[in-house]
């Protein structure tokens, strides 16, 4: 089984640079410091899965030449993970079928509110068709690809992480139980949300993310959902313990 992940975005909700900010990260000319909102593309053999559809989705799909998708999986309902869904229209039209959206009941409710026009009976050719697929238990299959859902907390909000083969993707969290962390054990690659150095009410800071990363025992861990409050990519990368890296937009890893 061939598995490949492409980091489509590795930035927190405002992206980097932040509009109007001229800090060192926002002013950096290193392309690794230009961060779209957090999202990833996972290919397992011929199956193509998108995780989250934030406001940068159009540019992310163009930048990575993604023209086909079998499904979208949602971690949670925040705007920086859902606001770009309408930009799937060209793919929906090209594929001539509704796009399966895998999400929790809570996320589904929010998407239906946000994209209510896609459910109207009035046939308007510009409207994308979606097919809501509720997580049915913690194991499910998308076109034969097994997905294991991992439960975590993002402040008060429930978030879903996904283990797909040897890759685990977990973002926007500040708590995961030991029981749920067991689902991560044995992964070869962990993409983990890590916001900044200072503590935050709904995201892991650097210290907490390193602690969870070490507990997971995964040999390669990439931090994502990074804020401009961190040092620039090159400086912070040099300070991380062995096995830990900062994700960057456009990064691909094949397993
Ligand atoms: Zn987020
Ligand atoms: Zn800044
Ligand atoms: Zn969030």
């Amino acid at each position: 089984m061939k598995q490949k992940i492409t980091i489509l975005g590795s930035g927190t909700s405002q992206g980097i640079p932040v509009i109007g900010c001229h800090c060192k990260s926002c002013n950096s000319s290193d392309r690794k410091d230009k961060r779209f909102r957090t999202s990833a593309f996972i290919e397992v053999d011929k199956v193509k899965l998108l995780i989250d559809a934030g406001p940068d989705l159009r540019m992310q799909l163009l930048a990575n030449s993604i023209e086909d998708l079998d499904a979208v999986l949602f971690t949670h309902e925040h705007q920086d993970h859902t606001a770009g869904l309408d930009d799937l229209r060209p793919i929906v039209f090209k594929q001539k079928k509704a796009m399966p959206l895998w999400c929790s009941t809570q996320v589904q409710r929010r998407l239906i509110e946000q994209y209510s026009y896609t459910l109207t009976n009035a046939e308007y050719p510009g409207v994308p068709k979606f097919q809501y697929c509720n997580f049915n238990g913690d194991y499910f299959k998308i076109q034969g690809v097994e997905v294991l859902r991992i439960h975590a907390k993002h402040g008060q909000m429930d978030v879903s992480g996904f283990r797909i083969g040897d890759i685990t993707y977990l973002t926007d969290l500040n708590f995961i139980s030991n029981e749920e962390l067991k689902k991560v054990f044995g992964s070869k690659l962990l993409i983990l949300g890590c916001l900044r150095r200072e503590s935050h009410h709904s995201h892991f800071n650097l210290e907490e993310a390193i602690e969870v990363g070490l507990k997971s025992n995964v040999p390669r861990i990439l931090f994502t959902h990074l804020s401009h409050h961190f040092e620039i990519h090159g400086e912070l990368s040099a300070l991380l313990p062995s096995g830990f890296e900062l994700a960057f937009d456009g990064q691909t890893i094949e397993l």
Side-chain angles (χ1 to χ4, degrees), residues 27-122:
N27 273 350
S28 169
S29 55
D30 184 348
R31 69 173 183 90
K32 291 181 179 171
D33 284 309
K34 312 277 181 219
R35 302 187 188 277
F36 282 139
R37 267 58 73 87
T38 293
S39 172
F41 177 57
I42 295 184
E43 293 161 273
V44 180
D45 295 328
K46 293 211 172 331
V47 179
K48 298 177 178 185
L49 306 172
L50 175 69
I51 303 184
D52 290 331
D56 296 316
L57 187 64
R58 175 173 171 273
M59 292 310 295
Q60 291 168 323
L61 297 178
L62 287 170
N64 294 282
S65 304
I66 298 168
E67 300 175 1
D68 292 287
L69 282 175
D70 292 294
V72 186
L73 292 96
F74 288 92
T75 56
H76 66 302
E77 63 268 41
H78 279 155
Q79 282 289 98
D80 56 321
H81 299 258
T82 61
L85 194 53
D86 194 76
D87 281 332
L88 289 179
R89 284 187 301 155
I91 295 181
V92 171
F93 300 154
K94 182 185 160 200
Q95 295 185 161
K96 296 188 172 63
K97 60 180 168 62
M99 179 63 67
L101 306 181
W102 288 85
C103 54
S104 66
T105 315
Q106 162 194 320
V107 173
Q108 182 176 335
R109 207 177 300 126
R110 186 61 206 279
L111 291 176
I112 286 172
E113 272 169 27
Q114 223 174 326
Y115 297 98
S116 56
Y117 60 90
T118 63
L119 295 170
T120 61
N121 288 325

Side-chain angles (χ1 to χ4, degrees), residues 5-253:
I5 184 164
T6 305
I7 303 294
L8 301 184
S10 57
T12 188
S13 58
Q14 299 186 78
I16 304 178
V18 173
I19 296 168
C21 184
H22 302 285
C23 73
K24 203 172 166 190
S25 294
C26 291
N27 273 350
S28 169
S29 55
D30 184 348
R31 69 173 183 90
K32 291 181 179 171
D33 284 309
K34 312 277 181 219
R35 302 187 188 277
F36 282 139
R37 267 58 73 87
T38 293
S39 172
F41 177 57
I42 295 184
E43 293 161 273
V44 180
D45 295 328
K46 293 211 172 331
V47 179
K48 298 177 178 185
L49 306 172
L50 175 69
I51 303 184
D52 290 331
D56 296 316
L57 187 64
R58 175 173 171 273
M59 292 310 295
Q60 291 168 323
L61 297 178
L62 287 170
N64 294 282
S65 304
I66 298 168
E67 300 175 1
D68 292 287
L69 282 175
D70 292 294
V72 186
L73 292 96
F74 288 92
T75 56
H76 66 302
E77 63 268 41
H78 279 155
Q79 282 289 98
D80 56 321
H81 299 258
T82 61
L85 194 53
D86 194 76
D87 281 332
L88 289 179
R89 284 187 301 155
I91 295 181
V92 171
F93 300 154
K94 182 185 160 200
Q95 295 185 161
K96 296 188 172 63
K97 60 180 168 62
M99 179 63 67
L101 306 181
W102 288 85
C103 54
S104 66
T105 315
Q106 162 194 320
V107 173
Q108 182 176 335
R109 207 177 300 126
R110 186 61 206 279
L111 291 176
I112 286 172
E113 272 169 27
Q114 223 174 326
Y115 297 98
S116 56
Y117 60 90
T118 63
L119 295 170
T120 61
N121 288 325
E123 281 294 319
Y124 178 73
V127 171
K129 294 266 184 282
F130 300 133
Q131 179 202 350
Y132 289 95
C133 306
N134 234 242
F135 296 137
N136 188 11
D138 290 345
Y139 284 97
F140 50 93
K141 278 188 181 183
I142 304 176
Q143 308 237 12
V145 173
E146 283 182 25
V147 182
L148 174 58
R149 180 186 178 203
I150 300 166
H151 299 261
K153 281 292 201 185
H154 182 27
Q156 297 296 310
M157 186 177 277
D158 293 320
V159 294
S160 302
F162 305 106
R163 173 146 180 197
I164 301 172
D166 296 321
I167 301 171
T168 297
Y169 190 88
L170 264 177
T171 190
D172 292 59
L173 74 163
N174 66 333
F175 175 77
I176 178 165
S177 69
N178 288 331
E179 207 50 43
E180 290 297 315
L181 194 62
K182 283 183 192 162
K183 295 176 177 172
V184 184
F185 292 175
S187 304
K188 291 184 179 152
L189 177 69
L190 168 61
I191 315 298
L192 183 63
C194 174
L195 186 72
R196 62 186 190 190
R197 286 183 177 274
E198 301 77 36
S199 60
H200 189 274
H201 67 96
S202 65
H203 290 275
F204 281 145
N205 68 2
L206 183 60
E207 197 184 327
E208 293 160 337
I210 290 175
E211 192 188 317
V212 168
L214 291 172
K215 256 165 94 178
S216 76
N217 235 344
V218 176
R220 188 172 182 190
I221 297 167
L222 263 57
F223 289 149
T224 193
H225 214 285
L226 302 157
S227 110
H228 66 144
H229 296 300
F230 268 135
E231 295 91 325
I232 55 172
H233 189 98
E235 284 177 12
L236 183 56
S237 295
L239 300 174
L240 295 177
S242 136
F244 291 85
E245 296 164 47
L246 301 178
F248 59 88
D249 293 19
Q251 184 175 16
T252 59
I253 297 167

